[in-house]
Amino acid sequence: MRSLQCFWAIFALVVVALSGCPEFAPEVALLASTAPPPSRTARIDHRDVAEGPSTLTISNGVVMRLGCWDSCDYTCEQPVITSADPGIVQVRPTYGLAGSSIGYVLVATAPGSTRLTVATDCAEHEYAVTVVDE
Amino acid sequence: MSVDTRLGCACIPVFSLGAALIIAGCGDGGTGGRPSGLPGPSGLPPQCGVMNQACLVERNDAPLALGSRTELTVDFQNAGHAGLDISLEAANPDVLLIEGWLVEAVGNGVSGLLVVAPNGAVIDFLHIWVAEAEELRILAWSQTGDLLGRVQPEVTLLVGDEVLVSVEPFQNAQPLLGNFDLQRTIVGDSIAIVPDPVGGLYRVVARGEGPATITFEALGLSTAWQIEVLP
């Protein structure tokens, strides 16, 4: 009996050791690098695809600097960020001096809803954007 | 009745890494708005843009009054380079209207003010509030430019007295920024108003015995000042 328990314990350890780490799908995410002005909103709610749509809510007239992260190298190099309706939210590059990386800002130009897509060599992700008039 | 117009003296220095771009602005003479060259009622520290490239350092520490405007000009201190041909953009044109370097407050609310490079890249941005003025206040200043406080609605002067005043829009206790057309009406011959060489200031001089009333009107508001001049 005791040897049987020992066998199953060793078997379980071998199974765990051989299985390695669980694999996750590549992922890219946008981050809000700046806070909105008082009483206004600039919020990104990132979710895994299985958890439902990611959302981005921003007040009309507010500008938000975007940060980016991806699961491949954690640097999110050269992301392509696209607004489905630039009449509602515009994606603008930031001015980068020599040697500094170029970032992006999001400009809420009119109330409404649209989509924002961020894509890198690692992954792609979509956000449901709502520009609120407050 | 007299009408004066002053376009602002707001200053936005912009500093960037390895180079310094300075946006500074001073407007024409005239009156209406916070006096230029003076510290003003609220002496808050500079407000820098969120990307730490631009700082508002003078008289941009409060909302703009709805209907007012301020003019900005650009000065570059950019070692080793010619200055960029930068421009301003408003995130919400229903709040801020940009014409060159003239920023006009056209709607209540908040709007991002983008400092933009020629290729469309954003150098920095700030958020500018616009608020509707609720009252005009008459403020008294010393000859050396120190704010003395709000004048009483009814005052007594002696012949030969002078009072240096400005007229500023307020929302509740908050003084508002910007420049605007200001009308003044004087009833009575006992006083005279001389616009001060410093934009935004009036020199009220008691010339002779008797009562007088000064009425200032701007931004759809008015305020009256009763003055009794004694011999």
Side-chain angles (χ1 to χ4, degrees), chain B residues 117-133:
Chain B
N119 63 357
V122 176
I123 297 172
D124 205 345
F125 62 89
L126 308 145
H127 288 101
I128 306 291
W129 290 87
V130 174
E132 187 170 4

Side-chain angles (χ1 to χ4, degrees), chain B residues 39-90:
Chain B
S42 53
L44 297 176
Q47 174 205 355
C48 291
V50 295
M51 287 149 68
N52 226 16
Q53 304 268 332
C55 295
L56 303 174
V57 298
E58 187 178 358
R59 287 186 293 282
N60 283 285
D61 48 12
L64 285 172
L66 178 63
S68 72
R69 55 203 179 277
T70 187
E71 187 178 29
L72 307 173
T73 56
V74 183
D75 181 22
F76 290 94
Q77 293 182 355
N78 197 359
H81 302 275
L84 288 171
D85 185 19
I86 66 172
S87 59
L88 300 177
E89 292 183 23

